[in-house]
Amino acid sequence: MQKPSAPQTRLVTEGLAFGESPRWHDGRLWLCNWGTGEIVAVDAGGNSEIVLTVPAVLPYSIDWLPDGRLLVISGREGLLLRQEPDGSLVTHADLRGLSKSPWNEIVVDGRGNIYINGGGPAPAPGQHFGPGTVVLITPDGAIRQVAENIAFANGMAITPDNRTLIIAESHANRLTAFDIVADGSLANRRVWADLDGFPDGICLDAEGAVWYADVPNKHCVRVREGGEVLQTVTIDRGCFACMLGGADRKTLFIVAAEWRGFEHMVSEARTGQVLSVEAPAPGVGWP
């Protein structure tokens, strides 16, 4: 039986284009404001700061190396950028030889392994996306593909023990899990949960559940492995991603915006919001 919805959501900030790739880092929620090239950090009081502008419109996503340097995957350019201590951006890895299709999401595990999804073959005529892949960039800079045939690769999360990667396959209505083996490769692909929805961004909590955002259904859902729905938070616009943060990591932050289709993703509309709601368990793992 589905449990009641979470308490009332709170508006943290608004006026964004499309918030994506939210990360709780250094006491603030960081996000990518797609369509503007901005990376924005928002504190608990809703005060926002543009911390960096990157040469990308969309998609672009962020995470950090273990030493604290910011990584930005510039999706259409096929470049993984790294911010140096002086603020400059340099190329950390070049993915253009692997695929001409856009790259999407990034997650860095506790050992410094970088996983990036998207890419893959060109889409079929009339389609926006082809089958996605996952590539691994190891701390020594080696790059290799570690998964393929992902049905629109979206959010990713890694368990605190660095042993499992979970990925949202939006067009297959499921969360898929892989074992992470010693060299960072992915093995034992399996369905983690079949869903009644379209998972976008995801995050993990300390009870082993996953929160996933769903654009067309305008909600975020907490599920356990196997697909049991534990909680649903419904709002008035598409939910693109979610992240557990706050002082005790028990605040679920939701980035949401009105969805008008892929052809209208870059526009003057500023319907993007960050909302928050208290969650039953704190965030764990990566990101």
Side-chain angles (χ1 to χ4, degrees):
M1 184 176 69
Q2 184 173 327
K3 295 186 177 182
S5 290
Q8 183 67 35
T9 58
R10 181 177 74 89
L11 178 64
V12 178
T13 193
E14 57 186 344
L16 299 167
F18 277 96
E20 266 284 10
S21 192
R23 305 285 187 258
W24 184 256
H25 177 76
D26 199 21
R28 293 191 292 179
L29 184 77
W30 295 54
L31 58 91
C32 297
N33 190 18
W34 282 13
T36 69
E38 298 168 351
I39 296 170
V40 178
V42 185
D43 68 18
N47 302 299
S48 64
E49 175 192 3
I50 299 170
V51 292
L52 182 65
T53 300
V54 298
V57 178
L58 63 86
Y60 58 102
S61 301
I62 57 172
D63 209 350
W64 284 262
L65 288 167
D67 65 11
R69 287 180 293 175
L70 175 68
L71 295 175
V72 184
I73 177 64
S74 183
R76 293 190 183 276
E77 292 70 33
L79 297 175
L80 178 60
L81 307 175
R82 183 183 73 241
Q83 188 179 35
E84 294 296 85
D86 65 1
S88 62
L89 285 174
V90 300
T91 298
H92 187 83
D94 188 335
L95 306 180
R96 290 175 293 186
L98 293 175
S99 174
K100 304 301 182 190
S101 297
W103 301 90
N104 189 21
E105 186 62 286
I106 180 173
V107 63
V108 183
D109 75 7
R111 297 171 293 195
N113 287 321
I114 303 164
Y115 296 89
I116 298 171
N117 70 33
Q127 299 295 312
H128 288 288
F129 302 97
T133 64
V134 181
V135 299
L136 164 67
I137 304 168
T138 55
D140 64 5
I143 305 171
R144 66 180 186 274
Q145 182 176 304
V146 290
E148 61 184 357
N149 293 321
I150 307 293
F152 191 6
N154 231 316
M156 291 187 293
I158 295 173
T159 53
D161 59 7
N162 296 304
R163 295 178 65 178
T164 306
L165 181 146
I166 300 170
I167 184 169
E169 292 194 82
S170 298
H171 290 175
N173 314 103
R174 68 187 174 216
L175 300 175
T176 296
F178 296 87
D179 292 342
I180 302 175
V181 299
D183 68 354
S185 297
L186 302 181
N188 187 27
R189 180 175 183 164
R190 59 199 181 276
V191 174
W192 195 87
D194 285 312
L195 307 173
D196 182 19
F198 303 87
D200 198 321
I202 66 173
C203 60
L204 285 165
D205 73 24
E207 294 178 359
V210 167
W211 282 98
Y212 72 87
D214 186 324
V215 176
N217 288 307
K218 301 180 181 180
H219 60 203
C220 286
V221 181
R222 182 175 181 246
V223 294
R224 71 167 81 251
E225 186 171 7
E228 180 189 355
V229 173
L230 302 174
Q231 192 168 321
T232 301
V233 179
T234 301
I235 62 170
D236 66 351
R237 62 199 67 195
C239 297
F240 285 80
C242 51
M243 178 56 51
L244 287 159
D248 56 4
R249 294 293 307 274
K250 288 184 71 175
T251 300
L252 183 75
F253 292 96
I254 301 168
V255 290
E258 294 178 6
W259 175 244
R260 299 185 179 91
F262 289 106
E263 63 274 17
H264 299 296
M265 286 190 73
V266 178
S267 72
E268 296 303 311
R270 294 293 180 264
T271 65
Q273 297 179 337
V274 177
L275 303 156
S276 70
V277 65
E278 290 309 301
V284 295
W286 290 272

